[in-house]
Amino acid sequence: MANHNSICSLALLASASFAILSSTCSCLQFSYPSFDKSNKDDFSFSLGSGIADGSLQITPSSGDIANQSGRVCYTRETLKLWNNKHTHQTSFRTDFVLNISPHPQNKTGEGMAFILTNNPSLPGSSSGQWLGITNEQTDGSPLNRLVAVEFDTRKSYAEDLDGNHIGLDINSIESVAQYPLSNVSIFLSSGFDMSVSISYHGEFRPLIVEAMQLSTRGLHVAMQAWLIDLSKYLFEDIYVGFAGSTSEFTELNQIKSWKFITIDIPGSGGRYLTKMTWFLLISFFLCMVFASCVWRRSQRRRRLAYSSIEMMNDVPSM
């Protein structure tokens, strides 16, 4: 319980920090607590993607859902890579709830991703291992102009860690970095909702991914940070959205809510406030890692104690 309270307190600290910034920013912002047909014109949908059951369905949710890929991008406005004075890259944060539901009579595959791209169109032949991100012909090409945080549910090639990880993808489905989720008892294709926050600081360039999943096993948290200069891979006008795929292994790839906020405060006061807030966020990140380590250690001790009791009970009395 103490660990849960610490996580909630730190989450409130992070939310408050972003609230301070967002109150001074009139940049790209949107919030969808859920989705319905009235939101349809705000997005571009690839064939088979759509809105159903209050969620964005990244790949088809009915009919033949095998060997499919899809993209849904917010198209009412683009994200500007640079601030108004073109002195540093734009900072942003996005929060969404994803749900990957396995097919009851089939193994799960392949996964989905949050994408930043200059081209919202779905590439052809991008089902299976390609996650709607690239295909066999275009994979690795700088012309893709795409950066993605993938949520991979199947080990599709040798470089994949496993079938349950987060990865950072740059113009390719082969991740430049990966983070396993099984170690923190988060399972992407369990059917449980997972809350994800992705934040980027345009001056210091960390991309921070936070994920929380509440299941019958309790609350589990994962955090990972990567350094990346988005200007090396993307042009000025960026579309934000999601991609996903299935193969002969199927799943429902759904986004149940989505919020996005751009943080762009010109002037020295804004720059100071940005640095102060990111100091708070980095502190939040370190505290979350510490809390997670403490919780895992307590769980390990509890399991060891339980095993010792079981061994004692198994010893025959004389």
Side-chain angles (χ1 to χ4, degrees), residues 285-297:
F285 172 74
L286 294 174
C287 289
M288 287 285 282
V289 171
F290 175 76
S292 179
C293 290
V294 170
W295 181 83
R296 287 201 300 269
R297 183 174 296 177

PDB file of all heavy atoms in Angstrom, residues 285-297:
ATOM      1  N   PHE A 285      10.828  10.541 -12.143  1.00  0.00           N
ATOM      2  CA  PHE A 285      11.284   9.317 -12.798  1.00  0.00           C
ATOM      3  C   PHE A 285      12.190   8.500 -11.883  1.00  0.00           C
ATOM      4  O   PHE A 285      12.015   7.292 -11.701  1.00  0.00           O
ATOM      5  CB  PHE A 285      12.016   9.679 -14.090  1.00  0.00           C
ATOM      6  CG  PHE A 285      12.705   8.517 -14.763  1.00  0.00           C
ATOM      7  CD1 PHE A 285      11.979   7.560 -15.436  1.00  0.00           C
ATOM      8  CD2 PHE A 285      14.084   8.375 -14.705  1.00  0.00           C
ATOM      9  CE1 PHE A 285      12.599   6.494 -16.048  1.00  0.00           C
ATOM     10  CE2 PHE A 285      14.716   7.318 -15.311  1.00  0.00           C
ATOM     11  CZ  PHE A 285      13.972   6.371 -15.988  1.00  0.00           C
ATOM     12  N   LEU A 286      13.163   9.173 -11.245  1.00  0.00           N
ATOM     13  CA  LEU A 286      14.097   8.476 -10.367  1.00  0.00           C
ATOM     14  C   LEU A 286      13.377   7.908  -9.141  1.00  0.00           C
ATOM     15  O   LEU A 286      13.670   6.788  -8.705  1.00  0.00           O
ATOM     16  CB  LEU A 286      15.218   9.427  -9.930  1.00  0.00           C
ATOM     17  CG  LEU A 286      16.155   9.897 -11.055  1.00  0.00           C
ATOM     18  CD1 LEU A 286      17.136  10.938 -10.525  1.00  0.00           C
ATOM     19  CD2 LEU A 286      16.917   8.722 -11.663  1.00  0.00           C
ATOM     20  N   CYS A 287      12.422   8.673  -8.598  1.00  0.00           N
ATOM     21  CA  CYS A 287      11.674   8.188  -7.444  1.00  0.00           C
ATOM     22  C   CYS A 287      10.831   6.970  -7.795  1.00  0.00           C
ATOM     23  O   CYS A 287      10.696   6.034  -7.015  1.00  0.00           O
ATOM     24  CB  CYS A 287      10.789   9.299  -6.881  1.00  0.00           C
ATOM     25  SG  CYS A 287      11.699  10.615  -6.039  1.00  0.00           S
ATOM     26  N   MET A 288      10.255   6.994  -9.001  1.00  0.00           N
ATOM     27  CA  MET A 288       9.450   5.852  -9.436  1.00  0.00           C
ATOM     28  C   MET A 288      10.308   4.605  -9.581  1.00  0.00           C
ATOM     29  O   MET A 288       9.902   3.510  -9.210  1.00  0.00           O
ATOM     30  CB  MET A 288       8.767   6.184 -10.755  1.00  0.00           C
ATOM     31  CG  MET A 288       7.617   7.164 -10.621  1.00  0.00           C
ATOM     32  SD  MET A 288       6.165   6.398  -9.907  1.00  0.00           S
ATOM     33  CE  MET A 288       5.534   5.502 -11.321  1.00  0.00           C
ATOM     34  N   VAL A 289      11.502   4.773 -10.137  1.00  0.00           N
ATOM     35  CA  VAL A 289      12.414   3.637 -10.267  1.00  0.00           C
ATOM     36  C   VAL A 289      12.769   3.088  -8.892  1.00  0.00           C
ATOM     37  O   VAL A 289      12.772   1.872  -8.657  1.00  0.00           O
ATOM     38  CB  VAL A 289      13.691   4.050 -11.031  1.00  0.00           C
ATOM     39  CG1 VAL A 289      14.723   2.935 -10.984  1.00  0.00           C
ATOM     40  CG2 VAL A 289      13.345   4.371 -12.484  1.00  0.00           C
ATOM     41  N   PHE A 290      13.063   4.001  -7.951  1.00  0.00           N
ATOM     42  CA  PHE A 290      13.408   3.585  -6.591  1.00  0.00           C
ATOM     43  C   PHE A 290      12.242   2.853  -5.940  1.00  0.00           C
ATOM     44  O   PHE A 290      12.409   1.796  -5.328  1.00  0.00           O
ATOM     45  CB  PHE A 290      13.799   4.809  -5.760  1.00  0.00           C
ATOM     46  CG  PHE A 290      14.053   4.493  -4.308  1.00  0.00           C
ATOM     47  CD1 PHE A 290      15.228   3.870  -3.911  1.00  0.00           C
ATOM     48  CD2 PHE A 290      13.114   4.829  -3.342  1.00  0.00           C
ATOM     49  CE1 PHE A 290      15.449   3.572  -2.580  1.00  0.00           C
ATOM     50  CE2 PHE A 290      13.333   4.531  -2.011  1.00  0.00           C
ATOM     51  CZ  PHE A 290      14.504   3.901  -1.620  1.00  0.00           C
ATOM     52  N   ALA A 291      11.021   3.436  -6.081  1.00  0.00           N
ATOM     53  CA  ALA A 291       9.840   2.799  -5.488  1.00  0.00           C
ATOM     54  C   ALA A 291       9.597   1.426  -6.079  1.00  0.00           C
ATOM     55  O   ALA A 291       9.238   0.478  -5.377  1.00  0.00           O
ATOM     56  CB  ALA A 291       8.620   3.699  -5.688  1.00  0.00           C
ATOM     57  N   SER A 292       9.805   1.300  -7.396  1.00  0.00           N
ATOM     58  CA  SER A 292       9.614   0.008  -8.053  1.00  0.00           C
ATOM     59  C   SER A 292      10.611  -1.021  -7.535  1.00  0.00           C
ATOM     60  O   SER A 292      10.268  -2.178  -7.303  1.00  0.00           O
ATOM     61  CB  SER A 292       9.753   0.177  -9.565  1.00  0.00           C
ATOM     62  OG  SER A 292       9.586  -1.053 -10.226  1.00  0.00           O
ATOM     63  N   CYS A 293      11.873  -0.581  -7.363  1.00  0.00           N
ATOM     64  CA  CYS A 293      12.904  -1.495  -6.845  1.00  0.00           C
ATOM     65  C   CYS A 293      12.571  -1.946  -5.429  1.00  0.00           C
ATOM     66  O   CYS A 293      12.711  -3.129  -5.088  1.00  0.00           O
ATOM     67  CB  CYS A 293      14.271  -0.817  -6.876  1.00  0.00           C
ATOM     68  SG  CYS A 293      14.937  -0.558  -8.532  1.00  0.00           S
ATOM     69  N   VAL A 294      12.121  -1.005  -4.589  1.00  0.00           N
ATOM     70  CA  VAL A 294      11.763  -1.349  -3.212  1.00  0.00           C
ATOM     71  C   VAL A 294      10.613  -2.340  -3.192  1.00  0.00           C
ATOM     72  O   VAL A 294      10.616  -3.325  -2.448  1.00  0.00           O
ATOM     73  CB  VAL A 294      11.388  -0.076  -2.420  1.00  0.00           C
ATOM     74  CG1 VAL A 294      10.776  -0.435  -1.073  1.00  0.00           C
ATOM     75  CG2 VAL A 294      12.618   0.797  -2.230  1.00  0.00           C
ATOM     76  N   TRP A 295       9.607  -2.089  -4.061  1.00  0.00           N
ATOM     77  CA  TRP A 295       8.452  -2.984  -4.110  1.00  0.00           C
ATOM     78  C   TRP A 295       8.860  -4.371  -4.568  1.00  0.00           C
ATOM     79  O   TRP A 295       8.439  -5.373  -3.987  1.00  0.00           O
ATOM     80  CB  TRP A 295       7.400  -2.400  -5.036  1.00  0.00           C
ATOM     81  CG  TRP A 295       6.162  -3.242  -5.125  1.00  0.00           C
ATOM     82  CD1 TRP A 295       5.108  -3.268  -4.276  1.00  0.00           C
ATOM     83  CD2 TRP A 295       5.876  -4.212  -6.136  1.00  0.00           C
ATOM     84  NE1 TRP A 295       4.171  -4.167  -4.681  1.00  0.00           N
ATOM     85  CE2 TRP A 295       4.610  -4.765  -5.814  1.00  0.00           C
ATOM     86  CE3 TRP A 295       6.560  -4.646  -7.266  1.00  0.00           C
ATOM     87  CZ2 TRP A 295       4.033  -5.742  -6.602  1.00  0.00           C
ATOM     88  CZ3 TRP A 295       5.971  -5.620  -8.054  1.00  0.00           C
ATOM     89  CH2 TRP A 295       4.721  -6.156  -7.713  1.00  0.00           C
ATOM     90  N   ARG A 296       9.702  -4.459  -5.620  1.00  0.00           N
ATOM     91  CA  ARG A 296      10.130  -5.775  -6.110  1.00  0.00           C
ATOM     92  C   ARG A 296      10.935  -6.513  -5.050  1.00  0.00           C
ATOM     93  O   ARG A 296      10.804  -7.732  -4.894  1.00  0.00           O
ATOM     94  CB  ARG A 296      10.933  -5.619  -7.398  1.00  0.00           C
ATOM     95  CG  ARG A 296      10.102  -5.247  -8.606  1.00  0.00           C
ATOM     96  CD  ARG A 296      10.808  -5.592  -9.908  1.00  0.00           C
ATOM     97  NE  ARG A 296      12.072  -4.899 -10.048  1.00  0.00           N
ATOM     98  CZ  ARG A 296      12.200  -3.723 -10.635  1.00  0.00           C
ATOM     99  NH1 ARG A 296      11.130  -3.108 -11.119  1.00  0.00           N
ATOM    100  NH2 ARG A 296      13.380  -3.147 -10.764  1.00  0.00           N
ATOM    101  N   ARG A 297      11.766  -5.770  -4.312  1.00  0.00           N
ATOM    102  CA  ARG A 297      12.561  -6.411  -3.258  1.00  0.00           C
ATOM    103  C   ARG A 297      11.663  -6.948  -2.155  1.00  0.00           C
ATOM    104  O   ARG A 297      11.856  -8.060  -1.659  1.00  0.00           O
ATOM    105  CB  ARG A 297      13.555  -5.409  -2.679  1.00  0.00           C
ATOM    106  CG  ARG A 297      14.476  -6.005  -1.627  1.00  0.00           C
ATOM    107  CD  ARG A 297      15.533  -4.999  -1.198  1.00  0.00           C
ATOM    108  NE  ARG A 297      16.407  -4.650  -2.302  1.00  0.00           N
ATOM    109  CZ  ARG A 297      17.387  -3.750  -2.203  1.00  0.00           C
ATOM    110  NH1 ARG A 297      17.603  -3.107  -1.055  1.00  0.00           N
ATOM    111  NH2 ARG A 297      18.146  -3.491  -3.239  1.00  0.00           N
TER     112      ARG A 297
END
